[in-house]
Amino acid sequence: MTSAGAPLDVLFPSARAVTVEALLGELSAGALRAGDERVRDFLAAFGRRLLAPALARRHPELASLGFFLRPGELKRTLDGLRGEHLRVPRGLVLHIPPANVDTVFVYSWALSALMGNRNVVRLSPRAGAVAATIVRTLQESLADADPVVAATQRIVSYDRSDTVTAALSAACDLRVIWGGDRTVAEIRRHPLAPHARDLTFPDRSSFAVVRAAAWLEAPPATRDAVADAFAVDSYWFDQAACSSPRTVFWVGSPAECEAARTEFTACLARAVARRGWTVDTAMAVEKRVATYGLAADGAADSIGFHGNTLASVVLSRPEAAPRCWLGAGTFAHTRLDALAELAGLVKRKDQTLTHFGFARAELEELAESLAGRGVDRMVPIGGALSFHRVWDGVDLPAEFTRLVTVTG
């Protein structure tokens, strides 16, 4: 069987099995424009369904997605692209999202569709219940949509298949790869057409930075709110999201930082308990192995556990901050005298800095001193998982279009 004849399962707009050749033939019909009203209406209707109280209570992360798809937000995205050149779609966009963060594919696909592209999204067969809920809600949203949406958009699923991935890669104009470094390397083995390009989102790591004095001076209600927001940043996707913090840098004197860290950990443990988040036994064992490994390597001075849900590691030095995932609910802590010290510690792999107790001017000064060496986002604690059109330093809507110069 040729690669074009390789089979795959279509999940959206309707469930069925097709060959890659047939799928690509279907997508050759139907034309959209950047900002196409028919797509905007469909995305807005889909977003409203995600905000339905029953669904939002069951899957809070879908409420965030629903807010992202509000008509006003879609309009702001399009308004931000206005300029002297005409923007047109890139063509056919292939999206390969990660299996461990169920909502990422929607942000990527929705912005690409809004820009007028025909899209194929590959969902892993390992995708969870949230992904299934999203697909079902998309199907329900088609009832009142223009037929062009169903004609130009596909969500498919197939086991790891070089033949299918190769055929889709050869046909696309832009390939968007979300996942680890190894995934990016594996997908890149499949050549693109000469005019096509890759947009990659490889392994990233994130951290939080807190001014100890600001934490200690904050009223109890503020501390509880910040701890709860930190828990949301960390536990929604088992701390596996690239933007979830793994290390907390405390800025201040040794005494301030120790007091703030101790009190913060207690607040965080209460926040996790209030939300009912749990960690199974296997994960708890994995966390102990990982944290004791840090101690054995001389990277940790002390380790503390609050049941199975929360592990705190006090690092022996700031340079020991881990970039790897140590297990859900595992946080390394270290101290700095000043925020500016981060400039010598940040690596290109670092993505999101969540913060508390710092003024915007201080953060901008840090960003300028980093000079692109790392950190693409600086957001308040609680905003780590809030998706924005600019992600990993990339303006996604701009990447999903081409510029045409028209002069009179």
Side-chain angles (χ1 to χ4, degrees):
M1 179 178 288
T2 65
S3 60
L8 72 168
D9 294 321
V10 175
L11 306 179
F12 174 85
S14 59
R16 56 201 170 86
V18 299
T19 63
V20 176
E21 184 177 32
L23 180 82
L24 295 174
E26 294 170 358
L27 290 173
S28 64
L32 298 170
R33 301 173 61 177
D36 198 292
E37 290 282 352
R38 297 167 294 181
V39 175
R40 290 173 64 178
D41 291 345
F42 173 72
L43 292 176
F46 171 53
R48 286 193 294 271
R49 288 178 179 269
L50 295 179
L51 290 171
L55 187 58
R57 281 195 300 269
R58 193 163 67 250
H59 300 294
E61 60 269 47
L62 296 186
S64 298
L65 179 55
F67 277 106
F68 182 79
L69 295 173
R70 287 176 298 172
E73 290 297 320
L74 299 177
K75 182 178 183 299
R76 272 189 284 276
T77 295
L78 295 170
D79 288 345
L81 293 173
R82 299 192 187 283
E84 61 178 308
H85 296 90
L86 178 67
R87 287 194 178 269
V88 298
R90 279 198 175 269
L92 178 63
V93 180
L94 171 62
H95 306 258
I96 303 177
N100 62 344
V101 182
D102 284 336
T103 57
V104 162
F105 82 90
V106 185
Y107 292 104
S108 177
W109 160 76
L111 288 174
S112 180
L114 183 63
M115 294 300 104
N117 293 296
R118 293 165 288 125
N119 292 277
V120 177
V121 181
R122 186 261 176 174
L123 271 191
S124 168
R126 297 184 291 112
V130 173
T133 299
I134 290 170
V135 171
R136 184 172 62 251
T137 307
L138 282 168
Q139 291 170 338
E140 294 168 353
S141 303
L142 275 178
D144 300 318
D146 190 283
V148 75
V149 175
T152 57
Q153 312 299 318
R154 295 290 183 274
I155 299 175
V156 304
S157 180
Y158 59 89
D159 286 320
R160 291 183 182 272
S161 168
D162 284 347
T163 55
V164 174
T165 301
L168 292 174
S169 296
C172 74
D173 300 288
L174 177 67
R175 183 170 59 187
V176 186
I177 310 171
W178 301 78
D181 294 351
R182 190 167 72 175
T183 297
V184 172
E186 287 178 355
I187 300 300
R188 276 180 163 170
R189 292 188 296 109
H190 305 296
L192 296 169
H195 71 275
R197 56 170 296 189
D198 275 329
L199 180 58
T200 62
F201 298 91
D203 283 332
R204 303 303 300 273
S205 178
S206 298
F207 59 86
V209 58
V210 181
R211 190 188 300 279
W215 174 268
L216 294 172
E217 293 166 1
T222 299
R223 297 184 195 181
D224 286 340
V226 173
D228 187 73
F230 184 90
V232 171
D233 283 347
S234 307
Y235 284 83
W236 255 7
F237 298 108
D238 291 334
Q239 210 178 347
C242 60
S243 55
S244 292
R246 296 170 183 172
T247 297
V248 182
F249 290 94
W250 295 92
V251 178
S253 70
E256 287 176 326
C257 290
E258 182 176 358
R261 173 179 51 77
T262 300
E263 212 275 333
F264 170 84
T265 301
C267 284
L268 180 58
R270 291 194 297 271
V272 173
R274 279 196 305 270
R275 286 184 171 265
W277 277 312
T278 59
V279 172
D280 62 30
T281 303
M283 177 61 69
V285 171
E286 183 172 335
K287 287 163 61 174
R288 289 181 182 267
V289 171
T291 53
Y292 289 146
L294 288 176
D297 292 338
D301 282 342
S302 66
I303 301 170
F305 295 95
H306 291 254
N308 287 345
T309 57
L310 175 59
S312 296
V313 179
V314 179
L315 298 174
S316 58
R317 59 195 185 283
E319 292 80 6
R323 263 72 182 185
C324 60
W325 183 70
L326 299 174
T330 304
F331 305 98
H333 298 264
T334 190
R335 189 189 72 83
L336 303 174
D337 286 317
L339 182 65
E341 292 178 31
L342 277 173
L345 300 171
V346 164
K347 298 182 179 179
R348 186 64 191 92
K349 186 176 181 179
D350 295 327
Q351 185 213 58
T352 298
L353 179 162
T354 48
H355 58 82
F356 176 77
F358 297 94
R360 181 188 178 101
E362 295 176 278
L363 298 168
E364 289 180 344
E365 184 177 355
L366 173 62
E368 290 180 351
S369 70
L370 290 171
R373 292 193 302 275
V375 179
D376 300 311
R377 304 172 66 228
M378 296 183 177
V379 297
I381 288 177
L385 301 178
S386 297
F387 199 88
H388 189 269
R389 53 172 278 188
V390 177
W391 194 258
D392 276 13
V394 175
D395 188 336
L396 287 169
E399 293 292 329
F400 289 138
T401 58
R402 293 187 299 110
L403 295 175
V404 176
T405 301
V406 181
T407 57

